[in-house]
Amino acid sequence: MPTLAHDIKQTVPFAGPEVEAYLNLQRTADQLHRQTVELLKPHGLSSTGYNALRILRGAGPAGLPCSDVGARLVAHDPDITRLADRLAEAGLLVRDRKPGDRRVVILRISQLGLELLARLDPLTVELARRQLSHLGGAGLESLIRLLEQARHPPIASPTSPSPEKP
Amino acid sequence: MPTLAHDIKQTVPFAGPEVEAYLNLQRTADQLHRQTVELLKPHGLSSTGYNALRILRGAGPAGLPCSDVGARLVAHDPDITRLADRLAEAGLLVRDRKPGDRRVVILRISQLGLELLARLDPLTVELARRQLSHLGGAGLESLIRLLEQARHPPIASPTSPSPEKP
DNA sequence: AAACGATATTTGTTTAAACGACATTCGTGA
DNA sequence: TCACGAATGTCGTTTAAACAAATATCGTTT
């Protein structure tokens, strides 16, 4: 008779509203993300690739170093090299060495990449609307505010253990 | 002079609140998820594995078929076989054939698995609190409600294209 | 009971993410 | 100018996710 399991069993449903919110967040994000992946798949693009191309479009013809692209991605990808490999092979971006600093590689979106984004943007915008418009204007604003707030905890980076806890 | 890119550039910042909410959702979920992955890593467990074990604990000694576990996971994993392989090899669960129906494989959490969860639960709960408690009780309830609402659009599955749009 | 379709899991293969080691280049200071 | 440390990418390898095909079992019908 494992009292361990028995004790825990009691607390299973939800260990407080924070855990419930966390699980809802992951579940919802995953569900919506999968729909985006499905939308992008027939165009031969991953969601990471799509995000990278949008970042590069935002950077304009000046392009952006690999590291900057990696830092701005929603899911920080430490391996931009291979991501850029695939996008370059598909002709969606171009790679150049930075004139002043030969360490950095500048990524620029190509005309083909711009055209692909121009085709994809209406689709992803429409998808987001189908997914979320029923929350209403006030609901969306509230959700946005709460999510931003969640990403910015008041103190002490949550990854590092609290320095004292006697 | 690519007017295509130029036109789009205007609309880049955010194509409406739904897109802004979507990106915030993905960004926030990814940030919090990575912290959970970091927390679990030293214990040799992936977040999917951790979720699967919690589902099995909730199922009790009766266990649960593979397919049921897959359906209840936050990120529906179509490949439970290999997930169960790893967890079984680590001694965290046991596999049995269902007596009445030899097609289905019943997964049961082991004593070792229960003990691991008992050690991990306080850590994940504390992490969730560090991540989200600053939203406050009202904020958390509001967030939970909005996320649940987001997962349940009023009509027409968002994955299938709307049947008519002339 | 033999055959058919449905269900549940396994297996093989491709693809991408994760992690670490390595190489190149730059800036700085002896 | 030479050496040293930091910054930036690249590459090799391990691990897991994604997808399709194959296998085994069941329930039902003929």
Side-chain angles (χ1 to χ4, degrees):
Chain A
M1 181 181 294
T3 60
L4 194 71
H6 188 265
D7 285 357
I8 289 170
K9 195 80 173 296
Q10 309 284 30
T11 70
V12 159
F14 280 122
E18 293 90 352
V19 175
E20 186 176 359
Y22 177 88
L23 291 174
N24 267 291
L25 177 63
Q26 298 302 329
R27 209 177 273 275
T28 306
D30 183 73
Q31 177 177 310
L32 302 198
H33 180 244
R34 281 172 192 272
Q35 294 170 3
T36 301
V37 170
E38 288 305 308
L39 181 80
L40 261 30
K41 190 177 303 175
H43 300 269
L45 205 56
S46 68
S47 67
T48 306
Y50 178 60
N51 284 323
L53 287 183
R54 284 198 297 188
I55 289 169
L56 289 177
R57 179 179 59 192
L64 222 53
C66 291
S67 51
D68 286 22
V69 175
R72 299 188 195 185
L73 279 174
V74 292
H76 292 200
D77 190 338
D79 193 1
I80 305 296
T81 300
R82 288 183 170 91
L83 174 61
D85 281 350
R86 292 169 229 139
L87 296 175
E89 190 176 9
L92 300 173
L93 61 77
V94 190
R95 273 188 279 207
D96 287 312
R97 288 279 168 186
K98 182 170 182 176
D101 189 339
R102 268 179 299 192
R103 287 174 301 181
V104 325
V105 171
I106 299 291
L107 305 180
R108 287 185 190 83
I109 191 169
S110 70
Q111 185 62 31
L112 189 65
L114 286 172
E115 290 166 7
L116 179 59
L117 286 191
R119 260 184 292 135
L120 254 32
D121 278 335
L123 300 179
T124 58
V125 170
E126 190 204 344
L127 175 61
R129 294 209 175 119
R130 283 205 306 269
Q131 289 173 328
L132 295 174
S133 66
H134 65 284
L135 296 183
L140 285 170
E141 293 213 8
S142 180
L143 179 59
I144 291 168
R145 188 180 52 80
L146 286 165
L147 290 171
E148 284 176 347
Q149 199 179 345
R151 279 208 309 284
H152 301 296
I155 50 169
S157 110
T159 49
S160 63
S162 43
E164 48 187 310
K165 195 181 62 169
Chain B
M1 183 181 293
T3 61
L4 195 73
H6 189 264
D7 285 358
I8 289 168
K9 195 79 172 298
Q10 308 286 29
T11 72
V12 158
F14 280 123
E18 294 91 351
V19 174
E20 186 176 359
Y22 176 88
L23 291 173
N24 267 291
L25 177 63
Q26 297 303 329
R27 209 177 274 274
T28 306
D30 183 72
Q31 176 177 312
L32 302 197
H33 180 244
R34 280 170 194 272
Q35 293 171 3
T36 301
V37 170
E38 287 305 308
L39 181 80
L40 261 29
K41 190 177 302 176
H43 299 269
L45 204 57
S46 68
S47 67
T48 306
Y50 178 60
N51 284 321
L53 286 183
R54 284 197 298 187
I55 289 168
L56 289 177
R57 180 179 61 192
L64 220 53
C66 290
S67 50
D68 285 23
V69 175
R72 297 189 197 186
L73 279 175
V74 290
H76 293 200
D77 191 338
D79 192 2
I80 305 296
T81 300
R82 289 181 168 94
L83 175 62
D85 281 350
R86 292 170 230 140
L87 296 174
E89 189 175 9
L92 301 173
L93 60 77
V94 191
R95 272 186 281 207
D96 286 313
R97 289 278 166 186
K98 183 170 182 176
D101 188 341
R102 268 179 300 192
R103 287 173 300 180
V104 324
V105 172
I106 299 291
L107 304 180
R108 286 186 191 82
I109 191 169
S110 71
Q111 184 62 31
L112 190 63
L114 287 171
E115 290 166 7
L116 179 58
L117 285 191
R119 261 183 294 135
L120 255 32
D121 278 335
L123 300 180
T124 58
V125 170
E126 190 204 344
L127 176 60
R129 292 207 176 123
R130 284 204 306 268
Q131 290 173 328
L132 295 174
S133 65
H134 65 285
L135 297 184
L140 285 170
E141 294 212 8
S142 180
L143 179 59
I144 291 168
R145 188 181 52 79
L146 286 165
L147 290 170
E148 284 175 346
Q149 198 179 344
R151 279 208 309 283
H152 301 297
I155 51 168
S157 109
T159 49
S160 64
S162 44
E164 48 184 312
K165 196 181 59 167

